[in-house]
Amino acid sequence: YAYNELFINYQFGFIRRGLLGQAFIFLNTNINIEPKLFFTSIFFILYVLQIVLFLKIFKNFFISNFVLLILLFSPVFILFNIYDPNIYYVKDIFIKVSILFHAFVFIEKKKNGNYSNYLKSLKFLIIPTIIAVSLIHEYQFFFVGVHFLISLGFCNSKKNFICLLKIYSIILIPFILVIIFIGNEGQYYELNNYLEKFNVKLHPQLKGGLYSAFGGFYKWHFYYFNYNQFVKLFLSFILGIIIFYYIFHKFMEKKIIKINSNYQKKYLLYFLPCLPIFILAHIDHGRNISLISTNLVAFYSTFYFNEKKYNDYILNFRLKFTKQVILLIFIVFYIFMWKLDQYAGYSMRDQNNMIFESSLFSEIKKLINFLYYYVDNNLFDLPDLNI
């Protein structure tokens, strides 16, 4: 489904999520590039870029071993797509990279206190990126508030606030276009006929629009959803989002980190527009949790980090043996004993989908098995595994 959706294009009129597919159609027509080479290369670059940006924006925070472990080995961030390879081609990665890139640009400009330089980057780099990503995946619109929130870090007057509003107002144009041309039945059938040469068939949701989205939400959450699945979703929400809010909020209370501007004080309000994706995505709530959490921690990464106060806090923490033991147990559990897949515990077609299953341990086992068969098939014979 995710791979097929990449082929949505503008051959039969403007339509949501069509920019990436149109880029492929252009290159395929002119230089005959193969679809798997084109799409796989782009996503590989994006996943590598995600890792690089993650390391860049949190390099100050990584003085804390706890923050280092819980961010790098969380099933929510970098490892999310490794634990669930079925979502390799899901366009969410564009949204994640856009917010990480914005955080990186902000941090670099904030070091020099160069507001005018940041505004230039915002106008000619960040905003065009947001618009391009919005035309690839309309979910980007729900996270524009987080981008605006990061920009408020340079805001110290009403004049600055109005200036930022004017810059961001240009995003209304693609937003209106996507709302108007969300896709219809005619485009769905025409695109499917056109894409037969690539052996691709689009999902019927494309022709349903918002009506289909709300209908799907009702069906999956009030007809199929059961109590156990709700509990797993609720726990995924806590382990995937609330835990990071708690950690960084605790850092704020201890003045280890602090916001850059008073205009950012009520920052949670800017995350409210993100919540409708839980309706539009039907049951892919693991993806939603990963998206919101990535945007949340990217925002926190732009805060000023006080290394001295952190060291004082850790020194006091180390004196209390009980707290250290509890923290160690939590880290082991968090890294090794739960997972977040795209359904966040929802079970489809009678499959048993649990969030409390080995994550990193399981991947290590897969790697060992892969290496065994790779060596056995390509290098030299290894002992038979049969008992």
Side-chain angles (χ1 to χ4, degrees):
Y1 161 68
Y3 175 73
N4 289 351
E5 190 188 68
L6 300 178
F7 289 82
I8 298 173
N9 57 72
Y10 300 143
Q11 294 299 108
F12 300 97
F14 188 85
I15 190 172
R16 65 188 174 103
R17 306 187 183 186
L19 182 60
L20 183 63
Q22 187 60 38
F24 162 70
I25 295 299
F26 175 81
L27 293 176
N28 177 261
T29 302
N30 289 277
I31 62 175
N32 199 31
I33 190 170
E34 290 297 316
K36 288 185 179 179
L37 174 62
F38 174 76
F39 292 121
T40 302
S41 299
I42 287 179
F43 279 82
F44 177 77
I45 292 170
L46 288 172
Y47 286 122
V48 172
L49 190 57
Q50 179 191 28
I51 296 172
V52 172
L53 290 172
F54 219 87
L55 295 174
K56 286 283 186 182
I57 67 176
F58 281 107
K59 63 182 178 181
N60 292 331
F61 288 79
F62 287 161
I63 187 177
S64 164
N65 292 329
F66 171 68
V67 174
L68 173 66
L69 289 171
I70 204 167
L71 285 177
L72 291 186
F73 294 101
S74 170
V76 182
F77 302 122
I78 295 173
L79 296 178
F80 178 65
N81 300 89
I82 294 176
Y83 291 158
D84 193 354
N86 291 321
I87 55 175
Y88 180 83
Y89 286 117
V90 170
K91 296 177 180 178
D92 297 354
I93 186 63
F94 285 93
I95 301 171
K96 293 177 181 179
V97 169
S98 73
I99 194 67
L100 294 173
F101 177 62
H102 190 176
F104 172 72
V105 171
F106 177 88
I107 292 168
E108 292 300 310
K109 302 302 179 184
K110 190 68 176 179
K111 285 179 184 176
N112 305 319
N114 197 329
Y115 178 59
S116 60
N117 203 340
Y118 171 74
L119 285 183
K120 290 179 182 177
S121 298
L122 183 64
K123 292 177 183 177
F124 303 111
L125 197 59
I126 303 300
I127 295 297
T129 298
I130 294 174
I131 291 174
V133 172
S134 299
L135 297 178
I136 293 172
H137 194 350
E138 75 278 5
Y139 278 18
Q140 176 67 87
F141 290 122
F142 296 102
F143 295 93
V144 170
V146 186
H147 283 274
F148 186 73
L149 185 60
I150 290 177
S151 298
L152 288 178
F154 266 113
C155 189
N156 53 24
S157 66
K158 188 175 181 180
K159 181 181 177 181
N160 294 148
F161 185 85
I162 294 173
C163 177
L164 289 173
L165 276 178
K166 289 179 179 178
I167 294 173
Y168 274 87
S169 63
I170 189 69
I171 298 175
L172 286 173
I173 296 174
F175 174 73
I176 293 171
L177 287 174
V178 168
I179 291 296
I180 295 174
F181 301 102
I182 197 168
N184 55 56
E185 194 168 352
Q187 285 176 307
Y188 169 73
Y189 288 114
E190 287 177 319
L191 281 172
N192 270 328
N193 290 333
Y194 178 77
L195 295 173
E196 280 184 355
K197 58 184 177 181
F198 300 112
N199 195 27
V200 166
K201 184 174 178 60
L202 301 177
H203 195 280
Q205 183 182 339
L206 181 67
K207 64 181 178 180
L210 291 176
Y211 177 82
S212 174
F214 283 107
F217 175 80
Y218 177 84
K219 178 174 68 175
W220 289 111
H221 293 82
F222 296 98
Y223 187 78
Y224 292 122
F225 222 56
N226 61 40
Y227 177 78
N228 290 332
Q229 291 163 354
F230 174 79
V231 170
K232 287 184 282 189
L233 173 60
F234 180 69
L235 291 173
S236 296
F237 188 83
I238 292 175
L239 294 170
I241 297 178
I242 301 301
I243 188 65
F244 294 103
Y245 168 76
Y246 173 80
I247 291 170
F248 285 98
H249 190 73
K250 180 64 69 174
F251 282 176
M252 291 175 68
E253 287 181 348
K254 301 296 180 181
K255 302 191 185 305
I256 295 171
I257 60 174
K258 65 177 181 179
I259 57 176
N260 296 293
S261 167
N262 287 331
Y263 284 87
Q264 295 177 309
K265 280 187 174 179
K266 297 181 179 180
Y267 65 89
L268 288 182
L269 293 176
Y270 291 86
F271 283 88
L272 291 180
C274 305
L275 298 181
I277 66 173
F278 283 96
I279 295 177
L280 299 176
H282 291 185
I283 59 172
D284 290 359
H285 295 318
R287 290 171 48 200
N288 298 335
I289 290 170
S290 181
L291 272 171
I292 293 176
S293 196
T294 299
N295 276 262
L296 183 66
V297 298
F299 168 62
Y300 284 132
S301 74
T302 63
F303 285 20
Y304 170 75
F305 183 79
N306 191 318
E307 186 176 335
K308 182 180 182 304
K309 289 192 174 182
Y310 172 77
N311 288 331
D312 293 340
Y313 176 66
I314 290 300
L315 182 62
N316 179 59
F317 195 88
R318 284 174 179 166
L319 295 176
K320 299 179 179 179
F321 177 76
T322 305
K323 283 188 175 182
Q324 290 186 60
V325 173
I326 293 174
L327 182 61
L328 180 61
I329 293 173
F330 172 76
I331 290 176
V332 171
F333 164 78
Y334 193 83
I335 293 176
F336 294 108
M337 299 182 183
W338 83 289
K339 68 173 184 177
L340 180 71
D341 62 13
Q342 61 178 318
Y343 302 121
Y346 183 84
S347 302
M348 295 184 66
R349 300 181 182 93
D350 298 322
Q351 295 176 353
N352 184 26
N353 188 18
M354 285 292 296
I355 65 169
F356 296 115
E357 292 180 355
S358 171
S359 50
L360 193 57
F361 277 138
S362 177
E363 296 306 313
I364 293 172
K365 180 181 177 182
K366 289 178 186 176
L367 177 61
I368 293 172
N369 289 341
F370 169 78
L371 291 175
Y372 172 88
Y373 287 110
Y374 180 84
V375 171
D376 189 48
N377 292 328
N378 298 281
L379 300 179
F380 51 85
D381 291 335
L382 292 176
D384 196 347
L385 289 179
N386 294 328
I387 298 176

